[in-house]
Every structure is written in C-alpha cells, then in structure tokens.
Amino acid sequence: MKKTMLFFTTLCLIFAVVSSAHADPVCTGTDYCDSNVLVGKQTGPIYQTGDHSWLFSADILFPTDVTYTDGFETLTDTEAKLTYACSSDGIVFSDCSMDEFTQAGTYTLKTEVAQNNELFYNGSSAFTTLSIIDPSQAAATTNGFVVIYHDTLSDTGSVPQDSKSYQPGASVIVLGNLGLNSEFQPDPLSRQGYTFTKWNTSPDQIGDSFGFGEIIRLGGNLDLYPQWEPIAGESLTESDPFAAVPNNITSTVQQQPQAAAAGTELEAKSWFNEGPPFNNGDTPLGSDPNIRWYPVNTNKPSWGNKPLPGTGFSTRHLTALREQPAALAYTTLGITLDLPTLNVQADVVSVPEEENGWSVDWLGEKTGLLEGSALPGEGISYIAGHNHLNTLETGPFLFLSQLEENDRIFVRGASGQLLEFSVFANERYAPDEFAAVHEKASEVFNALVLITCEDESIDGGYLGRRVVFARPL
C-alpha cells in the first residue's frame, strides 16, 4: 500500500513539474507583463523606387519575434501588431514613408510593438539597419521580385496567379478577382455576406490596401490578401434581374448597365452600311469591298450621359438570356481584334444602342464596336467584350487588366489592311464614368478603347469596369 501511495505521489509531482514548465505567463489588467522584440538582419536587398513600397514586405525583410513574460514564464505572440519608424541619425525617428527615407542610403529602423490590452503586456521596440540600394549601382544578377496572391476567409474560389518576375522599381498592375480552377475555368473568390473589394498586404486587413488594377512599384516581394467588406442590408428583390430566374435555367443573361438619365436623347448612328460612299472616297477599315458606307450625323456623341457597357455574366449561377430582337441584331464589320499578349483573337461586330445602354448581351466570344463611336483609325473607337460568358466559359476580355504599357494591339480590316496600336493606360472606372473614360481617350488622336466588367459582387453583378487605352502607331 505504501508503495502504491509513493507511486501516485511521484506521478503527481512529475505532472506538477511538467505543467509548471508549460504554464502561460500570468498577465492581468492591473499587472502588465513585459514584452521583448527581437529583429533579425535585413534578409534581402531593398531597391530605391522613389516610394516606401518596401514596407509592404517589412515583416519578411526584417523577421521579428515578439515575446512577453511575467518574469517566470515566457510566451510568443505570433499575431503581434508591428509598426516601423526610420531615422538617419539614430536619435530622431519619423514615418518611414517620408521622402527622406525613400532614397538610397543606410538608416536606422525602429520596430515597435504597442501595448497589448488583450494579452496585457507593455510595448517595446528594437533597432536594426535599413539599407536601400540605388538600382543603377546594384548587381544585375537579381532574379527579380514576385507578387503572391493569398486566400483568406473565402467560402469558394481560387486566387489569381502572377507568374512574372519583376525588377526593382518595376510597375505592377494589381490583379482583380481573376482566379481559375484546376480546369482553367473562372473561379473567383467569394464569401457569403461579403464583397471582395481590394487586396491588402496583411491577412487581417490592417496593412496597406490596393484596388484592382492599381499600379504600384516593387521594392521587394509582395504578398497580398483579400480585403472583405460586409454587405449592409443587401437583398434580392423582384426588380433584381437575377431574383426571379428558375434554378434549372441553363443559359445566361447579362446584367443590364445603369440606365441613362431620364430625358436624355440617345444619339443616332454615326455610320450605316448602305448609301453613298464617303465624300473623300476613303473606305472605313471594316468595309466589305461590296458595301458602301456613309456617316449620317456630324454631332459628337454626349458620352457623359451614358453608362459604360455591362459586359460580365455571373460566375455564381446560371440565368436566362433574353431573346435578341431583330432591331438589335449585330452587323458584321469584317474586323478582327488581336491581343497577342493575351493570346486573344476576336471578331468585331457593331453593337446598337438601346434605352438602357448598348445591347452587348449576345456578343459571346465576339467583341463589339459601340454605336456612336468611330471605326478603328477613324476616330475614338470603343470596343466592349465579355469577361465571363457563363459559370464555366470565359470571354475574350477576361484578362484585360494584365495588358501593360506599350503592349501591342492589332486590328485587321476586311480588305486586309492592318492597324497597330500601343497601350498607354490600363485603368479601373465606375460604371457611370463614361465621361471620364472619354476625356482620357481624347488625350490621343484616334484612340482605341477596350472595355469589360470587373469586380463581381455577391449577387452576380459587377462593381467596376476595366478600360484599356491604346494609341495608333
């Protein structure tokens, strides 16, 4: 019996020692623990970009370990919130985003963890050396930087992939919600009750945020995470074009763009495929040799009264596509649009205008020259195309946001003539910002403008428009 009691006593002592060894610090609201920040040396080169973009990757460039202790037990805070300050003399510290600290040089970096009122520990800081290199004086052996998109909190979907390698200071276009599944079909991230609005440099959305299509310059590798915004009071109603669609419908419908303001007069066609030829004897790019063309109005369209066309089908559910009226039939122009960078070739047809915008519903794999705009090479040409055709098929403009400055666009006419354009801007606009798009397009002579939808919302509609501007060469 004594041996048994001795055995259990020994086990209890061992358990007490083990339990004590793994106990957490005792920190309370009246007795805060002390914290300690350990910062490693700079793990990679930081190149001068003229801004503070290196801060987006500061946690990788300067690995940090934050611990707190009650004097007996120590624990690591893996979710500590860090802030950074910079100094040129090691005495006076300021915001690292100041111009002084965006230039090549060596600085003192202060990494600080603030007082934590949940874990009850005091703040602390540590110092290390920040070195920014002039790219012109750096070795040309760098493998470049990468942008990695991560998934956090989504219910379904895949993240987009950026396979490019960027040199220090290079401009990068932030991708939209353009993920593909294992079968290379559209698979955007979605989360019930939330809208994916931006990318954030922090998984808990406390870092710097970037809108889809925003252009940033890299000073190091960049990790981006979804930024989710709750949908406040949003519900489907009878007026919603997706609300009354049966579940067994297998075709698709285009969400209609916002109607023009009441009382707005819609412009007449600017060209017809019947009648006498142009007065100067020139033939438009898209002309069939057997068709004569003529302009029927000389007034410039009022683009400020028009919404940008809605060219995005829902990727979340199938909806019914209305029958195309004869009055809205497309006219074949004999034009082919070629985007070599995206491996896209698409026919261009004319898209008539109706009461609520342009009738782009039935474009499918084609692209559409919007009524009221000029033929390519004859003035400003607005060409729309779908990003998605349904839940499984992609449209020709799915990756329009990936076109970069100086990328080439080719337009081939019915008679074989070839026009070449060069991208000079790639921007995101709200659906009602056609006036701003037209102002941008007017900066160059005979601009070519490509338009598609971007940023799918939870109801299958689209919050923005992706617009690419190109100048003729």
Side-chain angles (χ1 to χ4, degrees):
M1 181 69 177
K2 290 182 178 180
K3 291 184 178 179
T4 302
M5 290 293 294
L6 181 61
F7 174 75
F8 280 109
T9 301
T10 303
L11 283 179
C12 290
L13 289 172
I14 294 174
F15 179 77
V17 171
V18 172
S19 299
S20 176
H22 293 283
D24 290 345
V26 179
C27 312
T28 68
T30 56
D31 187 15
Y32 272 57
C33 290
D34 292 325
S35 66
N36 185 47
V37 181
L38 292 177
V39 182
K41 294 182 178 180
Q42 185 172 319
T43 59
I46 298 176
Y47 295 93
Q48 174 183 315
T49 61
D51 57 23
H52 60 285
S53 57
W54 63 269
L55 275 172
F56 306 150
S57 306
D59 57 336
I60 299 174
L61 291 165
F62 299 95
T64 304
D65 184 33
V66 176
T67 59
Y68 58 100
T69 180
D70 59 2
F72 299 98
E73 307 297 337
T74 301
L75 196 63
T76 299
D77 183 3
T78 58
E79 298 182 354
K81 305 300 186 290
L82 302 173
T83 57
Y84 302 90
C86 292
S87 173
S88 57
D89 58 10
I91 301 174
V92 179
F93 286 84
S94 304
D95 188 340
C96 291
S97 64
M98 294 181 63
D99 291 343
E100 176 184 0
F101 305 116
T102 63
Q103 307 304 313
T106 301
Y107 310 96
T108 300
L109 178 69
K110 179 181 180 181
T111 302
E112 185 172 7
V113 59
Q115 177 177 295
N116 190 311
N117 294 323
E118 294 180 357
L119 298 177
F120 303 116
Y121 64 73
N122 294 312
S124 62
S125 59
F127 303 88
T128 189
T129 299
L130 163 67
S131 178
I132 301 178
I133 305 170
D134 186 339
S136 64
Q137 300 177 2
T141 57
T142 177
N143 293 324
F145 299 130
V146 295
V147 180
I148 302 176
Y149 295 85
H150 302 269
D151 178 16
T152 54
L153 302 178
S154 71
D155 298 324
T156 61
S158 304
V159 294
Q161 303 290 330
D162 188 343
S163 59
K164 296 181 180 180
S165 178
Y166 298 93
Q167 292 304 306
S171 295
V172 176
I173 297 177
V174 177
L175 299 180
N177 196 2
L178 300 172
L180 301 176
N181 61 21
S182 58
E183 298 178 352
F184 299 99
Q185 297 300 324
D187 191 28
L189 298 175
S190 65
R191 180 185 177 191
Q192 184 65 35
Y194 290 83
T195 299
F196 181 6
T197 59
K198 296 181 179 181
W199 292 101
N200 198 288
T201 57
S202 170
D204 50 14
Q205 305 189 29
I206 64 171
D208 295 276
S209 59
F210 302 104
F212 303 153
E214 188 171 340
I215 298 177
I216 59 177
R217 290 191 294 175
L218 287 188
N221 294 330
L222 178 60
D223 291 86
L224 294 174
Y225 305 84
Q227 182 167 310
W228 301 100
E229 299 291 342
I231 301 174
E234 184 171 305
S235 60
L236 294 178
T237 64
E238 289 296 327
S239 61
D240 190 300
F242 300 102
V245 180
N247 292 330
N248 60 350
I249 297 296
T250 58
S251 56
T252 54
V253 65
Q254 164 68 26
Q255 183 178 8
Q256 292 306 303
Q258 179 182 349
T264 299
E265 283 191 17
L266 299 177
E267 296 293 326
K269 286 186 178 181
S270 59
W271 32 261
F272 277 0
N273 62 342
E274 297 176 355
F278 284 108
N279 293 334
N280 59 10
D282 293 336
T283 303
L285 176 64
S287 295
D288 184 298
N290 298 318
I291 297 179
R292 295 184 299 174
W293 294 70
Y294 73 123
V296 296
N297 73 319
T298 57
N299 297 326
K300 294 183 178 179
S302 178
W303 301 108
N305 295 326
K306 304 175 188 296
L308 288 160
T311 53
F313 289 95
S314 172
T315 62
R316 292 176 171 81
H317 49 75
L318 296 173
T319 48
L321 177 64
R322 58 182 175 135
E323 183 178 353
Q324 185 174 14
L328 300 180
Y330 299 149
T331 300
T332 300
L333 300 176
I335 298 175
T336 301
L337 181 70
D338 186 5
L339 310 175
T341 305
L342 305 182
N343 194 27
V344 168
Q345 284 187 327
D347 292 334
V348 183
V349 298
S350 67
V351 175
E353 192 172 14
E354 52 183 331
E355 182 179 0
N356 295 328
W358 287 272
S359 54
V360 295
D361 299 34
W362 308 276
L363 279 175
E365 296 180 352
K366 294 181 172 62
T367 58
L369 182 70
L370 303 184
E371 178 183 343
S373 63
L375 290 161
E378 299 289 331
I380 300 178
S381 300
Y382 294 103
I383 297 180
H386 287 298
N387 59 0
H388 299 285
L389 302 182
N390 51 50
T391 58
L392 296 177
E393 297 178 280
T394 62
F397 282 179
L398 176 63
F399 296 110
L400 204 62
S401 64
Q402 295 187 10
L403 285 178
E404 300 179 350
E405 187 175 355
N406 298 322
D407 280 347
R408 295 296 189 261
I409 299 174
F410 298 94
V411 180
R412 187 177 299 276
S415 302
Q417 64 270 46
L418 186 68
L419 295 182
E420 183 177 0
F421 296 82
S422 175
V423 174
F424 70 88
N426 187 327
E427 300 177 354
R428 181 189 184 279
Y429 290 85
D432 60 353
E433 291 189 299
F434 211 139
V437 171
H438 186 65
E439 181 179 357
K440 181 76 174 182
S442 301
E443 294 178 3
V444 303
F445 181 69
N446 290 350
L448 179 69
V449 183
L450 308 183
I451 306 171
T452 194
C453 280
E454 189 170 87
D455 307 341
E456 185 175 4
S457 63
I458 196 68
D459 66 355
Y462 286 84
L463 305 177
R465 301 291 185 266
R466 171 59 46 185
V467 183
V468 170
F469 303 85
R471 58 167 55 89
L473 295 178

